[in-house]
Amino acid sequence: MLSLFRWLVRLTIGLIAVLVGALALAWYFAVRSLPDYDAELALAGVEQPVEIVRTTENIPHILASTDRDAFFALGFAHAQDRLFQMVVLRRAAQGRLAEMFGERAFAADDLARRLGLWRHAQESLAAQDPATQAALQAYADGVNAWVEQVNQGALGRGAPEFFLLPGDIAYWQPADSLAILKLVAAGASRQVWAEVTRARVSLAAPERGGDLVRAAGEAALPPYAALFGEGARFAPAPEAAAEDWFAGLVGYIRVGRGSSANGFAASASRTAAGAPLLANDPQVALTAPSLWYLARLDLRAGSVIGGTIPGIPAVLTGRNQQLAWGLTPAWVDDQDIVMEEVQPGAPDRYLADGGWREFATRHEVIRIHGAEDRRITLRETESGPVIPPAHLGLLAVTPGGYVPALRWTGLSGQDTTLSALIALMQAPDRAGAAQAARGIVAPAVQVTLADAEGVAQVLAGEIPRRPPEHPTAGRMPAPGRDPAVRWLDPVAPDDPLRMTEPAQGMVAATGAEATGATALALGHDRDEPLRLLRLSRLLASREIHSRDSFIDAQLDTVSPAARALLPLVGADLWFTGEAAAPGTPERQRQDALALLAEWDGNMGEHLPEPLIYSAWMQQLQLRLIHDELGALAAEVSAELRPAFIDRVFRNTGGAAVWCDVVQSAPVEDCTTIARLALDAALVELSARFGPDVESWRWGDAHVARHEHPALGRMPLIGWVVSLVQSTSGDGSSLARAPVMGQGANPWAAVGGAGYRGVYDLADPDSSVFVIATGQSGHPLSRHYDDLSERWRRGEYVTMSLDPTLARAGARGVTVLRPLP
């Protein structure tokens, strides 16, 4: 027995030693991929010595003598800090995620192949101007120079994730950057989602569905089913949509869900310093690391500083020495789903307006890690690529005998968007910037501009035009056999209606309909107009603005939707009834209403009112539509629709009929439904957070999880690589933080400003910037999350165009020299 015990002790000690050794070995290989920022390297492709000066926040200041060296060094710095992110984005655009993630990524690859992001990027390479082609090649050479350093020095494969996931790191190509830009464009538009939702609501509630999905002033549409004849049949929607895999695996960019931003500027006459101010905050999915990356680089045209996306050789929002600019997705209706009728007995033919035609067909192979390769057939029509109904929720709206095809401005092999963006960041003034922006194709964006002489906004990107007789005006899928579904020639890039001149020295954009652009018929699914109204009021409330007042506006967490809805919904509930005994449901309701009655709509994380309001509106919207829409109601209610609730409680066009529960014998009014919804919300919140209403906190539920797209859901590892923090704001506040709307925590934040910048043209060194996590994508780097707490608290860092200031606070200086 003693001998057995001794052997067990020895075995235990041995296992512990092996485990410690394995952990030490894993740690060693992981830290090997942390870059040395004080290195001096001789590299092929460098023309003259280049300095990459890293500040204490790990922001690279690239001090170069030539444009080629500047773009080379930007690619080198991006690869040093975000190589894994770049590889994942490239694979997502190429449709090669399954080679790394296995079977679960097949749907993502299938969709990317059908969209043709990589193919169109390759075609668009020849459409770039010579300067951009040179920049793309220099950037690719810089990325590859770092990959070579990793290989030669055995630097842990460049990122620890590559030890856990299969796949080689292929050398970067110029077309890879264009493909990632295509992926960004695909993530900026949500028009397919809007069309599908509108069609599904029409199928479920053909008589009143327009109340839910129609914006103010829009004409009614015919029932969706009527577009395809009396015999049209539609399949029920699947429980899990394929695009959920795409969003979960790409992570950094949620294709088909849309992105947003605020962009606003004040001319010199409206600022305390006597020079224009500009603010921009692109709002994206919250990931670790952030999609965005701060950088400064010297070019022949001057120094440029601001926000970049690793993989793309351009400062997308920022400032140079004379000009500041910011990009806001315009939410133009740039996509249409066209339902193509397949010829019975001939699945390779479809009905066009001129008769039956052959699909253009090709075949590709998707390689899958751990499973057999799959061969897919890609088909195209005159309208665009055929998208299988399993994608994008199309199954529920595709009639039998039809296949959906996508018409989208991003499906271009002559896309000059990157050339336009590189020219924009080097423009000397607003006129030059406006000229450069004419080359933007997709996504369509509002470009906010400021120089010493004033401010303006330009609507850039291809804007489709539809015939007046289009059967759905682009608001729902339409039959491809109808010649009226074809697009007309797009709006001219130099159309004067694209330019928005300042009103009283101010311009503002949020993605909602902007003054001066209404005649362009931009679409029916714009951003919530309440956000633009809130921003416009904040800007008009001050005669003179400063950098701090712009920061306050950018960080504003007041929900204009709450301010608009609560007086309507609670009009007959405030301070009614006898005082109830403590501890009763009636008393809890009275306490909640008393708090909301005095609340100003601020969605602060330390307040109880935002949580009560959010839970109430979710329950209310779900109760209003559940009896008409059934299972679809939960999906539609994931996003609050203030315009619908306003229409119902004002009884616009008889919309108050939604308050009546169809299945019940009594006729319920809106006050009853509002009270029942509030009671249900309070029961749910009490079960989660206890019965004391005043102890509830919005931040306890409104939690932002910056998830690592590849490792974030792995046991233990996910806890290390993902960041979790409470946040303020909601989906309608300027500091936008939309909620999930479904799942175990429907109030979890799913997006936010991945980048914030406020640019002061009076003093280049007083401009401020921040991203949501940190500059490094390496989980063991201290720069992985060092900016996240500042971002949460609404703090910024300064970035100077003065090289002496950058060197004075340098954490490290990497010197790149030509090979001897």
Side-chain angles (χ1 to χ4, degrees):
M1 182 64 69
L2 181 61
S3 176
L4 177 61
F5 177 75
R6 287 173 178 172
W7 277 107
L8 288 176
V9 170
R10 292 169 184 169
L11 181 61
T12 301
I13 293 174
L15 290 175
I16 293 174
V18 171
L19 179 60
V20 171
L23 291 175
L25 190 64
W27 177 270
Y28 170 77
F29 282 116
V31 299
R32 288 282 294 170
S33 55
L34 285 170
D36 178 7
Y37 296 130
D38 275 315
E40 184 169 335
L41 305 170
L43 302 174
V46 178
E47 297 177 340
Q48 299 182 36
V50 182
E51 287 183 308
I52 305 177
V53 180
R54 301 275 183 164
T55 65
T56 54
E57 296 86 10
N58 196 32
I59 300 169
H61 290 244
I62 297 170
L63 309 179
S65 301
T66 68
D67 286 3
R68 171 177 169 76
D69 285 345
F71 286 113
F72 181 100
L74 180 63
F76 192 87
H78 276 169
Q80 277 186 306
D81 290 324
R82 301 286 188 88
L83 183 60
F84 180 76
Q85 178 184 14
M86 294 169 66
V87 169
V88 169
L89 288 173
R90 174 174 65 179
R91 283 182 175 274
Q94 293 176 337
R96 296 179 55 228
L97 284 172
E99 296 175 16
M100 179 177 285
F101 296 103
E103 182 74 31
R104 60 182 180 144
F106 172 78
D109 286 349
D110 183 72
L111 179 59
R113 300 285 183 100
R114 296 181 190 281
L115 292 177
L117 302 178
W118 170 241
R119 180 167 53 88
H120 293 309
Q122 290 178 302
E123 295 169 354
S124 295
L125 184 59
Q128 310 307 312
D129 59 44
T132 301
Q133 291 184 8
L136 284 166
Q137 187 60 61
Y139 181 86
D141 291 344
V143 175
N144 295 332
W146 174 248
V147 174
E148 289 176 356
Q149 290 297 309
V150 169
N151 293 336
Q152 293 171 8
L155 302 180
R157 299 198 70 197
E161 293 93 338
F162 291 120
F163 286 112
L164 301 174
L165 298 167
D168 296 326
I169 306 172
Y171 282 113
W172 202 262
Q173 303 177 55
D176 293 338
S177 297
L178 298 178
I180 292 176
L181 187 57
K182 288 282 189 184
L183 188 65
V184 171
S189 179
R190 55 180 279 162
Q191 298 305 316
V192 167
W193 178 85
E195 283 193 28
V196 170
T197 299
R198 188 176 281 110
R200 292 179 68 186
V201 169
S202 177
L203 290 172
E207 296 182 2
R208 301 293 317 188
D211 292 331
L212 181 61
V213 295
R214 188 170 68 242
E218 285 185 355
L221 286 172
Y224 179 65
L227 298 172
F228 303 96
E230 294 182 0
R233 296 290 181 268
F234 299 89
E239 293 184 2
E243 70 269 19
D244 290 340
W245 285 115
F246 199 90
L249 288 169
V250 178
Y252 305 104
I253 299 169
R254 290 181 175 168
V255 172
R257 289 299 184 178
S259 59
S260 183
N262 300 311
F264 51 101
S267 60
S269 63
R270 297 292 302 274
T271 66
L277 287 163
L278 188 147
N280 190 216
D281 57 348
Q283 295 152 4
V284 293
L286 297 178
T287 58
S290 169
L291 175 68
W292 289 88
Y293 181 92
L294 302 173
R296 172 267 179 96
L297 62 158
D298 284 347
L299 299 171
R300 184 174 55 186
S303 298
V304 187
I305 197 165
T308 68
I309 293 176
I312 300 175
V315 175
L316 302 177
T317 170
R319 60 158 297 162
N320 57 35
Q321 292 170 321
Q322 299 87 25
L323 176 78
W325 70 97
L327 305 180
T328 301
W331 289 36
V332 164
D333 190 357
D334 56 0
Q335 296 176 332
D336 275 355
I337 290 294
V338 177
M339 293 295 175
E340 306 285 15
E341 185 176 354
V342 180
Q343 183 174 0
D348 293 332
R349 293 166 61 84
Y350 70 97
L351 181 60
D353 61 329
W356 298 102
R357 299 190 182 181
E358 299 279 343
F359 289 104
T361 304
R362 67 182 188 281
H363 304 280
E364 294 187 9
V365 174
I366 297 179
R367 305 191 184 283
I368 305 172
H369 175 68
E372 293 185 1
D373 298 345
R374 293 195 194 180
R375 189 169 184 263
I376 61 173
T377 299
L378 310 180
R379 297 188 294 175
E380 288 195 18
T381 71
E382 288 182 338
S383 302
V386 172
I387 308 296
H391 290 296
L392 304 174
L394 289 166
L395 181 62
V397 300
T398 302
Y402 287 75
V403 293
L406 174 65
R407 181 175 280 130
W408 174 38
T409 58
L411 300 174
S412 170
Q414 301 295 314
D415 191 339
T416 56
T417 300
L418 186 58
S419 293
L421 293 173
I422 289 181
L424 172 63
M425 75 178 188
Q426 301 179 73
D429 51 31
R430 286 175 297 147
Q435 180 67 33
R438 293 179 182 178
I440 295 176
V441 176
V445 290
Q446 283 279 6
V447 185
T448 306
L449 302 168
D451 63 11
E453 302 303 319
V455 300
Q457 280 180 336
V458 179
L459 179 59
E462 185 170 309
I463 303 173
R465 294 190 306 117
R466 297 168 178 80
E469 61 273 17
H470 191 293
T472 69
R475 291 150 62 187
M476 291 192 299
R481 63 175 180 268
D482 189 340
V485 304
R486 292 185 176 185
W487 286 353
L488 305 175
D489 291 337
V491 176
D494 59 351
D495 191 308
L497 289 175
R498 287 178 176 266
M499 180 69 72
T500 301
E501 295 296 337
Q504 299 180 341
M506 311 288 292
V507 290
T510 62
E513 194 72 57
T515 303
T518 54
L520 293 178
L522 301 181
H524 306 270
D525 297 287
R526 311 299 305 282
D527 189 37
E528 175 56 60
L530 292 173
R531 294 180 65 244
L532 181 58
L533 288 173
R534 172 68 182 172
L535 178 57
S536 300
R537 287 171 181 168
L538 285 178
L539 297 178
S541 65
R542 297 175 62 104
E543 184 66 29
I544 299 297
H545 281 276
S546 65
R547 186 193 69 177
D548 290 341
S549 71
F550 264 42
I551 290 175
D552 289 343
Q554 195 172 71
L555 300 177
D556 183 68
T557 57
V558 170
S559 171
R563 287 189 168 189
L565 294 180
L566 284 177
L568 277 175
V569 176
D572 297 327
L573 300 178
W574 308 126
F575 309 111
T576 58
E578 299 293 333
T584 62
E586 291 78 9
R587 179 58 177 270
Q588 191 180 49
R589 183 201 308 148
Q590 291 173 356
D591 290 343
L593 288 170
L595 288 173
L596 293 176
E598 303 296 329
W599 180 49
D600 65 355
N602 180 17
M603 303 291 291
E605 61 180 288
H606 302 296
L607 300 175
E609 293 92 343
L611 184 56
I612 301 169
Y613 154 75
S614 183
W616 187 7
M617 292 303 107
Q618 285 182 351
Q619 286 286 344
L620 175 62
Q621 185 168 273
L622 183 62
R623 285 172 177 265
L624 289 174
I625 66 177
H626 187 269
D627 52 336
E628 284 86 356
L629 301 189
L632 177 60
E635 186 176 335
V636 172
S637 286
E639 180 179 296
L640 183 64
R641 298 174 180 271
F644 167 66
I645 296 176
D646 181 272
R647 187 178 291 118
V648 169
F649 277 78
R650 293 185 187 276
N651 196 22
T652 304
V657 69
W658 287 87
C659 291
D660 179 40
V661 179
V662 177
Q663 291 90 341
S664 68
V667 178
E668 291 84 3
D669 59 19
C670 292
T671 299
T672 300
I673 292 297
R675 185 182 67 254
L676 293 174
L678 177 58
D679 289 344
L682 295 176
V683 168
E684 181 178 10
L685 295 177
S686 296
R688 290 173 180 261
F689 306 108
D692 186 1
V693 172
E694 294 188 357
S695 70
W696 297 343
R697 296 292 178 263
W698 177 229
D700 291 341
H702 195 233
V703 175
R705 180 178 174 86
H706 305 257
E707 189 169 276
H708 190 292
L711 309 180
R713 299 185 185 181
M714 289 187 177
L716 296 179
I717 294 177
W719 179 79
V720 174
V721 300
S722 297
L723 312 176
V724 179
Q725 51 190 347
S726 59
T727 58
S728 301
D730 72 347
S732 73
S733 59
L734 293 177
R736 194 172 191 182
V739 299
M740 184 176 295
Q742 300 183 77
N745 181 11
W747 307 289
V750 294
Y755 166 91
R756 297 188 186 115
V758 178
Y759 320 130
D760 187 351
L761 294 185
D763 179 8
D765 297 332
S766 67
S767 298
V768 292
F769 314 78
V770 75
I771 59 174
T773 55
Q775 287 285 95
S776 176
H778 197 301
L780 300 182
S781 170
R782 68 186 182 94
H783 298 296
Y784 184 70
D785 60 355
D786 58 335
L787 294 177
S788 62
E789 187 62 24
R790 294 190 185 188
W791 175 84
R792 189 188 74 83
R793 294 197 304 256
E795 299 175 358
Y796 298 74
V797 298
T798 57
M799 288 166 52
S800 173
L801 291 174
D802 186 345
T804 59
L805 291 178
R807 288 192 180 95
R811 175 179 179 262
V813 179
T814 304
V815 179
L816 309 181
R817 299 188 182 278
L819 283 174

